[in-house]
């Protein structure tokens, strides 16, 4: 049966990466003083599963590597080996190496063989540290042992040169043989498939009916199976019951001891010089063919790598099915009303419609919920990061994770990872001081970094806070002046001072370390977060620590929108970006030649952007500023006034990518479909400002 | 057609076993660990059980032991999927009442051959 094993690869990779994460967090959480067998077992199991899977799916390099890890973990589990810090570090390194290997295979790339060899050598080093080779591979030695004791062969005539024409077997099952689900009938059937089978049953052991336990096996057999059958083929049939029976097998040789077989062996010996090639080729060629096979399969997986999948809690699916059920009931109720509609049923109809609305909303919410993943997907990598960095820098750091179960949209989870790593690194590297400095400052030697996630309103807030040295306003200021980012006499509030670190080209570290400051500045972090529709703020006190708070929208697929009318067109503004809307008084409008119009609002001059002009909307209802409305909006720190005809309603809209379906349009972030089936564009505030300035 | 209970905590292995057996015409029910398998085995009769050994919650050996104690599973073939390094596991499995084993890594053909060995 030809089964394409590649179809299982995606699942294998996913569960292997999960297993590696479990191993990593398990290793990090090991209390070396008091190692819990259960914890080691969890780590062992993950390694074991990866080994089993990789072996089955043909990734031999991975299964070879995990075998060594497994050996080490097995010894730790059994208490044969002490769990030491160096051993744990080597295992952590191996987890990384394995992750790289799997990633390379998944993406059809090359495995870094030197790195694999190094890690394997490190593992071997730990394994061999106090143990000899026999200890290292208990599996193999046991295997050999088992093979030799497989069966008691009556007398194995050394006359292998004689032709074997069959086997005679004495098979006496123990009473309990049936209780393992084995059945002599099935075994005989197998023997019959090997050759011509004759059997003689011995019923002497059967007790009389009053003593007979029908669940026990009291029969024994003398079997004879004829044919050119290898000894191992017979062994295989009885492999599972070797301990549950008395078994003796004896080869039957051809009546006339023909010299022919002898001659054959002699011939091969004589021909040896010539036959070396044909003999060695298959033995060499086979492994290479086997090596090639998995490679082919491995490269195949690269095709499927682009398909991303998501693991959904079954509870969520159940809710969804429940909702759909409700919806179906409502629908049938409505169609019943519609069938013979009379005016006196109007109330019923209204009821039904409001029910439909409620169910649709609930359904929408639970569908959105499917895309939600706990933030622990991102947080889980940080304990390792903290462990590595603190040991590298010689700092004492405790990382606390709060609110790991807070759920965030999958896309947000994926895109949030890099900015968060940057922030946490900054805290670990620049925030927390060295132990002696902390002691001198009257703080505990161990610094604390807290990663916290929680919901607030329609937003999710993620905070990275530390009790380190905090941001030094004067230093920041001096640096910004030195770099020419601000004027020397610039007056800055505390908040503005902190914001300086987000300016391109600004870096607070006096010297770059290899931990943070890899050239990616905080400006990139902020840009990434803004791209997700969020923002980042800094709270810091000198000597006490800093907190970076990221505010993000809960989901990227649905938006609370405000519909606006311009001419016959409807546009959507993200509700969160609207500050206020007002009627325009002519005396507050200033016109600057070449710079357009501005509107004076509470001492601030807001540029006015006329939407109908920007998008060339024909027949706008309002062309005079006093006829329409001004919507004051803010996006990425830029405020402006949008001049429109009218405000329509507020509604949740489903975001449809314009880029994917059409192309990128400046000033427009996406599109959506309205209730009446028409398409409305969702406006992008920073883009509009850029467009207006052109 | 005979119904087989396939138990493995690894989704990919479970899928592979299930796909192979279904392809050969068997009905297959999947379980993610020993506890899940035991519950399913109590709710429905299976003609054969194929289980991984190393699993959370309840491992394969303990599962086999518990199943054998149930009247319906006294003589049901139960196979364990074990790695070559698990020779001692084979012994433990036998003592728990396992019919036999399939050594990992295995390919679909080997799996089917072994299943056919125990299914009449």
């Amino acid at each position: 049966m030809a089964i394409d094993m590649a179809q299982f690869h995606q699942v294998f990779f996913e569960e292997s990466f999960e297993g590696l994460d479990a191993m990593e967090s398990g290793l990090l959480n090991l209390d070396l003083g008091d190692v819990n067998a259960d914890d080691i077992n969890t780590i062992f199991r993950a390694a074991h599963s990866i080994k089993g899977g990789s072996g089955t799916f043909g990734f031999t390099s991975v299964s070879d590597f995990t075998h060594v890890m497994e050996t080490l973990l097995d010894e730790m589990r059994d208490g044969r080996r002490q769990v030491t810090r160096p051993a744990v570090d080597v295992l952590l390194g191996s987890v990384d190496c394995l992750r790289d290997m799997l990633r390379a295979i998944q993406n059809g790339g090359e495995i870094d063989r030197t790195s694999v060899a190094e890690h394997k050598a490190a593992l071997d080093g730990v394994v061999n540290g106090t143990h000899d080779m026999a200890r290292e591979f208990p599996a193999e030695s046991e295997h050999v042992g088992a093979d030799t004791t497989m069966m008691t062969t009556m007398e194995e005539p050394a006359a292998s040169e004689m032709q074997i024409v069959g086997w005679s077997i004495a098979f006496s099952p123990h009473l309990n043989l049936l209780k393992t689900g084995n059945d002599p009938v099935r075994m005989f059937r197998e023997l019959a498939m090997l050759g011509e089978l004759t059997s003689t049953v011995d019923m002497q052991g059967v007790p009389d009916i009053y003593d007979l336990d029908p669940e026990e096996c009291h029969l024994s057999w003398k079997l004879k199976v004829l044919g050119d059958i290898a000894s191992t083929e017979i062994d295989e049939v009885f492999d599972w019951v070797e301990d549950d029976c008395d078994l003796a097998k004896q080869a039957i040789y051809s009546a006339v001891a023909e010299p022919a077989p002898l001659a054959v062996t002699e011939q091969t010996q004589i021909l040896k010089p010539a036959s070396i090639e044909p003999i060695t080729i298959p033995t060499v060629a086979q492994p290479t063919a086997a090596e090639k096979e998995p490679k082919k399969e491995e490269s195949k997986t690269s095709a499927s790598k682009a398909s991303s999948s998501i693991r959904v809690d079954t509870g969520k699916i159940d809710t969804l099915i429940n909702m759909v059920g409700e919806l179906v009931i409502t629908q049938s109720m409505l169609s019943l009303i519609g069938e013979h509609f009379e005016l006196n049923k109007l109330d019923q109809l209204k009821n039904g419609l409001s029910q439909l609305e409620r169910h649709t909303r609930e359904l929408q919410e639970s569908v959105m919920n499917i895309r939600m993943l706990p933030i622990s997907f991102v947080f889980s990598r940080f304990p390792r990061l903290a462990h590595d960095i603190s040991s590298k820098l010689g700092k004492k750091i405790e990382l606390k994770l709060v609110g790991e179960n807070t759920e965030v949209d999958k896309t947000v989870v994926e895109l949030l990872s890099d900015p968060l790593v940057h922030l946490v690194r900054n805290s670990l590297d620049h925030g927390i001081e060295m132990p002696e400095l902390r002691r001198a400052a009257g703080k505990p030697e161990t610094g604390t970094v807290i990663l916290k996630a929680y919901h607030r309103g329609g937003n999710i807030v993620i905070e990275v806070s530390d009790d380190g040295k905090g941001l030094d306003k004067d230093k920041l200021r001096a640096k910004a002046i030195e770099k020419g980012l601000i004027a020397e006499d610039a007056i800055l509030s505390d908040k503005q001072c902190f914001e300086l670190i987000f300016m391109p080209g600004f870096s607070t570290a006096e010297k770059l370390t290899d931990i943070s400051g890899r050239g990616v500045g905080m400006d990139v972090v902020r840009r990434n977060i803004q791209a997700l529709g969020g923002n980042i703020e800094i709270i810091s006190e000198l000597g006490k620590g800093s907190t970076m708070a990221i505010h993000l929208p809960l989901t990227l697929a649905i938006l609370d929108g405000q519909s606006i009318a311009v001419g016959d067109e409807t546009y959507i503004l993200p509700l969160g970006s609207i500050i206020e809307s007002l009627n325009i008084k002519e005396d507050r409008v200033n016109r600057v030649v070449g710079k357009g119009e501005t509107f004076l609002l509470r001492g601030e001059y807001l540029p006015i952007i006329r939407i109908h002009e920007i998008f060339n909307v024909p027949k706008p209802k309002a062309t005079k500023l006093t006829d329409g409305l001004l919507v004051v909006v803010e996006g990425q720190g830029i405020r402006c006034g949008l001049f429109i005809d009218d405000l329509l309603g507020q509604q949740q809209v489903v975001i449809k990518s314009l880029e994917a379906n059409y192309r990128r349009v400046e000033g427009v972030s996406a599109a959506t479909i309205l209730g009446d089936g028409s398409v409305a564009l969702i406006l992008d505030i920073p883009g509009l400002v850029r467009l207006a300035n052109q | 057609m005979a119904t087989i209970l396939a138990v493995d905590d690894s989704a990919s292995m479970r899928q592979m076993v299930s796909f192979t057996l279904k392809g050969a015409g068997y009905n297959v029910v999947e379980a993610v660990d020993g506890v899940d398998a035991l519950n399913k085995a109590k709710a429905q009769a299976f003609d054969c059980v194929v289980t991984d050994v190393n699993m959370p919650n309840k491992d394969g050996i303990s599962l086999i032991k518990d199943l054998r104690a149930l009247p319906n599973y006294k003589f049901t073939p139960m196979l364990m999927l074990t790695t070559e390094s698990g020779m001692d596991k084979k012994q433990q499995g036998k003592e728990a009442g396992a019919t036999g084993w399939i050594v990992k890594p295995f390919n679909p053909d080997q799996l089917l051959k072994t299943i056919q060995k125990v299914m009449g």
Side-chain angles (χ1 to χ4, degrees):
Chain A
M1 185 155 104
I3 288 180
D4 181 12
M5 298 284 262
Q7 61 185 311
F8 310 115
H9 288 175
Q10 180 67 20
V11 183
F12 165 71
F13 286 125
E14 270 173 39
E15 75 191 0
S16 297
F17 287 130
E18 271 173 36
L20 286 172
D21 290 346
M23 285 172 81
E24 186 171 67
S25 70
L27 286 165
L28 288 172
N29 289 333
L30 277 183
D31 179 1
L32 292 184
D34 176 27
V35 176
N36 186 329
D38 278 352
D39 295 342
I40 297 270
N41 206 11
T42 309
I43 303 168
F44 171 84
R45 203 163 44 229
H48 187 79
S49 289
I50 294 172
K51 180 185 145 183
S54 53
T56 304
F57 299 120
F59 308 128
T60 37
S61 50
V62 175
S63 64
D64 287 352
F65 189 83
T66 14
H67 177 76
V68 192
M69 288 177 85
E70 194 197 47
T71 308
L72 180 57
L73 285 163
D74 192 29
E75 291 185 4
M76 288 177 168
R77 183 174 63 156
D78 296 352
R80 277 181 284 156
R81 179 181 291 281
Q82 193 92 29
V83 183
T84 58
R85 171 59 54 200
V88 169
D89 284 343
V90 167
L91 282 169
L92 278 171
S94 307
V95 168
D96 288 342
C97 176
L98 208 48
R99 195 179 277 134
D100 290 343
M101 285 169 89
L102 285 166
R103 217 167 264 152
I105 295 172
Q106 188 184 23
N107 297 328
E110 280 290 310
I111 291 176
D112 182 355
R113 303 214 175 264
T114 29
S115 153
V116 172
E118 276 167 21
H119 282 102
K120 206 167 174 183
L123 278 172
D124 282 333
V126 176
V127 171
N128 293 329
T130 50
H131 292 251
D132 55 8
M133 288 300 282
R135 199 69 185 269
E136 185 188 351
F137 297 112
E140 270 74 359
S141 51
E142 275 175 53
H143 194 76
V144 173
D147 265 356
T148 48
T149 58
M150 196 80 89
M151 205 166 289
T152 42
T153 309
M154 270 181 167
E155 48 180 276
E156 200 82 69
S160 58
E161 57 272 7
M162 279 205 275
Q163 180 85 40
I164 295 173
V165 293
W167 296 86
S168 117
I169 302 159
F171 173 52
S172 317
H174 296 166
L175 292 180
N176 62 3
L177 180 123
L178 301 174
K179 291 184 179 163
T180 54
N182 279 295
D183 186 343
V185 176
R186 286 199 302 255
M187 289 184 255
F188 298 166
R189 199 179 52 208
E190 253 184 279
L191 284 174
M193 276 154 62
L194 297 175
E196 190 189 319
L197 178 76
T198 44
S199 70
T200 325
V201 67
D202 176 359
M203 305 206 294
Q204 274 183 357
V206 183
D208 70 57
I209 190 81
Y210 304 105
D211 296 327
L212 181 76
D213 179 349
E215 294 184 359
E216 289 178 340
C217 184
H218 299 278
L219 302 173
S220 58
W221 288 269
K222 293 256 184 298
L223 304 158
K224 197 187 269 178
V225 53
L226 297 176
D228 180 14
I229 304 160
S231 169
T232 50
E233 285 182 274
I234 304 284
D235 292 350
E236 224 169 76
V237 174
F238 295 99
D239 189 13
W240 294 345
V241 294
E242 50 168 301
D243 295 331
D244 303 323
C245 66
D246 294 322
L247 188 72
K249 77 170 196 280
Q250 192 174 19
I252 305 169
Y253 297 92
S254 52
V256 189
E258 289 172 32
L262 196 70
V264 169
T265 37
E266 268 178 358
Q267 260 174 3
T268 34
Q269 292 217 311
I270 294 161
L271 291 173
K272 217 173 183 178
S275 60
I276 275 177
E277 264 186 336
I279 286 170
T280 47
I281 280 176
T283 48
V284 173
Q286 245 168 350
T288 29
E291 275 293 303
K292 266 183 192 162
E293 196 63 27
K295 261 195 196 152
K296 222 197 299 175
E297 280 192 334
E298 285 168 20
S299 63
K300 237 190 251 172
T301 56
S302 59
S304 60
K305 73 175 177 208
S307 74
S308 85
S309 61
I310 185 166
R311 285 203 166 204
V312 182
D313 185 47
T314 39
K316 288 182 178 176
I317 305 272
D318 290 345
T319 321
L320 207 58
I321 290 165
N322 215 354
M323 292 287 154
V324 173
E326 293 284 330
L327 209 58
V328 170
I329 294 170
T330 314
Q331 187 267 334
S332 63
M333 183 178 100
L334 281 172
S335 68
L336 206 68
I337 297 170
E339 231 166 83
H340 307 284
F341 187 73
E342 288 160 24
L343 261 184
N344 58 10
K345 287 188 182 169
L346 197 62
D347 277 349
Q348 267 178 289
L349 180 67
K350 277 184 180 164
N351 263 338
L353 284 175
S354 76
Q355 222 178 80
L356 182 68
E357 189 193 333
R358 197 172 67 240
H359 291 323
T360 313
R361 199 176 49 238
E362 281 170 9
L363 183 66
Q364 181 197 356
E365 273 166 17
S366 33
V367 171
M368 294 316 300
N369 212 357
I370 287 187
R371 282 188 57 88
M372 301 300 257
L373 292 176
I375 192 104
S376 56
F377 274 77
V378 185
F379 279 9
S380 58
R381 63 193 286 187
F382 289 109
R384 176 68 191 278
L385 190 77
H387 172 265
D388 287 356
I389 291 182
S390 56
S391 58
K392 197 180 248 172
L393 296 174
K395 290 181 180 179
K396 289 186 179 167
I397 296 171
E398 187 189 359
L399 180 74
K400 282 188 187 155
L401 304 179
V402 184
E404 292 165 272
N405 291 325
T406 312
E407 293 197 318
V408 203
D409 189 274
K410 181 171 187 266
T411 320
V412 178
V413 165
E414 282 161 3
L415 295 174
L416 192 62
S417 186
D418 286 344
L420 259 189
V421 168
H422 196 92
L423 293 180
V424 173
R425 268 204 185 121
N426 268 344
S427 276
L428 296 169
D429 193 12
H430 304 314
I432 303 288
E433 314 91 327
M434 297 301 283
E436 50 272 24
L437 273 176
R438 289 182 64 89
R439 210 171 33 225
K443 294 197 225 178
E445 275 187 26
T446 305
T448 312
V449 174
I450 302 172
L451 255 175
K452 187 166 160 190
Y454 55 95
H455 287 296
R456 198 168 68 189
N459 281 309
I460 171 166
V461 184
I462 297 151
E463 288 180 6
V464 182
S465 49
D466 63 64
D467 64 347
K469 57 179 177 246
L471 291 172
D472 188 337
K473 272 174 288 187
D474 298 332
K475 237 178 171 175
L476 290 175
R477 202 192 141 85
K479 182 107 175 189
I481 293 169
E482 180 200 318
K483 297 238 168 189
L485 297 171
I486 52 167
E488 242 172 272
D489 54 355
I491 301 161
L492 298 175
S493 66
D494 285 4
K495 200 177 160 196
Q496 282 169 322
C497 263
F498 297 147
E499 299 258 322
L500 287 173
I501 65 168
F502 293 124
M503 293 184 82
F506 191 94
S507 165
T508 48
E510 269 110 41
K511 59 174 193 257
L512 294 179
T513 64
D514 65 339
I515 288 159
S516 38
R518 291 186 185 199
V520 186
M522 289 290 280
D523 56 320
V524 178
V525 171
R526 177 150 82 168
R527 213 178 311 136
N528 285 347
I529 288 165
Q530 281 170 346
L532 286 168
N535 63 60
I536 176 166
E537 69 178 321
I538 306 174
I539 305 148
S540 181
E541 198 174 334
L542 190 60
K544 295 229 170 118
S546 325
T547 300
M548 308 271 169
I550 301 172
H551 299 255
L552 286 171
L554 262 184
T555 174
L556 302 177
I558 286 211
L559 175 98
D560 276 319
Q562 165 75 52
S563 322
I564 57 171
V566 181
D568 291 334
E569 296 290 327
T570 304
Y571 294 98
I572 308 287
L573 280 172
L575 203 57
S577 68
I578 299 178
I579 298 167
E580 60 188 308
S581 49
L582 35 92
N583 286 313
I584 302 172
K585 287 210 174 93
E586 189 59 48
D587 58 349
R588 290 191 162 262
V589 176
N590 289 295
R591 291 187 176 77
V592 187
V593 182
K595 292 242 174 181
E597 303 155 312
T598 57
F599 182 79
L600 181 64
L601 181 67
R602 286 170 221 119
E604 193 182 355
Y605 288 97
L606 296 171
I608 296 175
I609 297 170
R610 291 172 180 244
I611 298 292
H612 69 94
E613 279 180 9
I614 296 268
F615 292 121
N616 278 330
V617 181
K619 291 181 282 173
K621 290 197 185 69
T623 46
K624 247 177 76 188
L625 287 177
T626 43
D627 290 347
L629 280 176
L630 191 75
V631 183
V632 181
V633 291
E634 182 175 349
Q636 294 185 13
I638 304 162
R639 271 186 192 216
C640 64
L642 304 181
F643 178 62
I644 60 166
D645 287 357
D646 208 352
L647 291 172
L648 301 172
Q650 289 178 8
Q651 68 193 101
Q652 286 200 320
V653 296
V654 179
I655 299 174
K656 305 275 179 192
S657 165
L658 206 57
E659 256 169 275
N661 297 308
Y662 175 55
R663 64 179 174 84
R664 211 187 122 65
V665 180
E666 186 77 58
V668 175
S669 60
T672 189
I673 296 166
L674 297 174
D676 63 358
S678 62
V679 172
L681 299 176
I682 301 169
L683 300 182
D684 167 36
I685 311 300
L688 274 180
V689 174
R690 276 195 298 276
L691 210 59
N693 287 341
Q694 278 169 14
Chain B
M1 198 18 128
T3 305
I4 299 175
L5 179 62
V7 196
D8 203 314
D9 58 325
S10 151
S12 59
M13 291 300 291
R14 212 163 53 231
Q15 279 188 10
M16 198 272 255
V17 169
S18 165
F19 189 86
T20 306
L21 296 179
K22 279 178 185 165
Y26 295 106
N27 295 320
V28 182
V29 172
E30 296 178 19
V32 298
D33 59 35
V35 173
D36 187 22
L38 198 58
N39 288 334
K40 283 179 173 150
K42 282 175 182 166
Q44 178 186 355
F46 292 98
D47 304 295
C48 177
V49 178
V50 182
T51 177
D52 185 27
V53 175
N54 248 302
M55 291 184 294
N57 299 330
K58 181 185 275 295
D59 68 20
I61 288 172
S62 149
L63 168 68
I64 288 173
K65 199 170 182 175
D66 290 357
L67 282 176
R68 276 280 176 248
L70 300 175
N72 281 341
Y73 290 91
K74 262 187 181 167
F75 305 108
T76 308
M78 296 185 202
L79 302 178
M80 26 181 215
L81 304 173
T82 175
T83 54
E84 76 269 59
S85 59
M87 289 306 288
D88 52 334
K89 291 279 179 201
K90 287 183 186 173
Q91 200 47 48
Q92 288 176 29
K94 284 296 296 190
E95 277 160 22
T99 308
W101 49 81
I102 302 169
V103 175
K104 284 191 205 175
F106 56 88
N107 62 39
D109 286 333
Q110 289 164 325
L111 172 68
L112 265 187
K113 217 180 126 205
T114 317
I115 290 288
Q116 276 153 4
K117 185 168 164 176
V118 297
M119 304 289 286

